[in-house]
Amino acid sequence: MADGRNGAGDRPGPQERSAVPGGSGVPAPPPLPGRTRWGVVAAILALPVLLVAGLLVLIGVWVLSDDEETDGTRLKEVPCAEALAFGGARMPAGAEDATCTVQSWLDTNYQADFRVPRAGVSAWLADAYPEAPPPGGPGTQACHGVDYCFQLDVTGHPGAQAYVVNVNVTYENAETARVRYSAFTT
C-alpha cells in the first residue's frame, strides 16, 4: 500500500476521495438548485400590460378629444354665395331650399343644392356661363337621371377660383327646377 493502492484495485478508498483536485479531503457541497430570475419574468409579463394600458390611454384621448377637424376633410356648411362664387357664378333670383358645403384638403370642392323657378334656370345659366352648351347640345347627352347637365372648364372665367364646374338641372314640376352645382379644383 505504499504505492498508493488500498488493496481494492485501482479505485481510491474512502479516505482518499476528494471533490477538489489536489484533494483536501473535504467533500464538495451539493449543487444549488436553479435560481429564478424574477426581474426577467416581471419584464416579460409587464410588456403586454403596458401595451394594453397605452392602447386604453390612446382610446381615451381619442374619445375625449375635441371633434373639431383641422385638416378640412369633412364637409362643412358654407354660405351659398361663397360656393357659387368659387365657380364664378351668383345665386339665381328666387332660389329656395339651398344647402351648400365645402370639402377641402389637397383639392377644394364646393357643392350647392337648391330649387329655383323653372322659368329662370335658362336665364341664370346663360348669364353665369354663356359658354355652356345648350340643352341637347354637345356634352349634354350623358345626362342620366337629370334633364340638363354640363361640365365646364372655368379656369379663364372671371371671378372663378375653380377649374371645373358641374351643373345638373332636374325639372321637378311645371314651376320648379332643382339645381345641383359643384365647383372644384381638379
Side-chain angles (χ1 to χ4, degrees), residues 33-77:
R35 188 175 149 224
T36 303
R37 300 180 189 261
W38 288 109
V40 174
V41 171
I44 291 172
L45 293 177
L47 185 63
V49 171
L50 290 175
L51 288 175
V52 170
L55 183 62
L56 290 175
V57 166
L58 288 175
I59 289 172
V61 167
W62 176 66
V63 168
L64 298 175
S65 68
D66 186 11
D67 217 13
E68 183 67 29
E69 63 163 327
T70 58
D71 62 0
T73 56
R74 293 190 196 139
L75 286 175
K76 218 175 357 177
E77 286 193 30

Side-chain angles (χ1 to χ4, degrees), residues 12-31:
Q15 301 90 344
E16 298 174 18
R17 287 188 192 146
S18 171
V20 180
S24 66
V26 178

Side-chain angles (χ1 to χ4, degrees), residues 92 94-97 113-122 124-125 147-148 168-180:
E96 299 175 343
D97 302 329
D113 189 348
F114 53 90
R115 288 177 174 75
V116 293
R118 183 174 174 160
V121 172
S122 296
W124 171 68
L125 288 173
D147 297 307
Y148 174 49
N168 294 314
V169 179
T170 305
Y171 300 120
E172 293 183 329
N173 55 38
E175 294 88 31
T176 308
R178 181 177 182 187
V179 177
R180 291 186 187 103

Side-chain angles (χ1 to χ4, degrees), residues 84 89-93 114 120-129 167 179 181:
L84 272 75
R90 293 180 192 207
M91 232 11 214
F114 53 90
V121 172
S122 296
W124 171 68
L125 288 173
D127 181 50
Y129 303 109
V167 178
V179 177
Y181 174 95

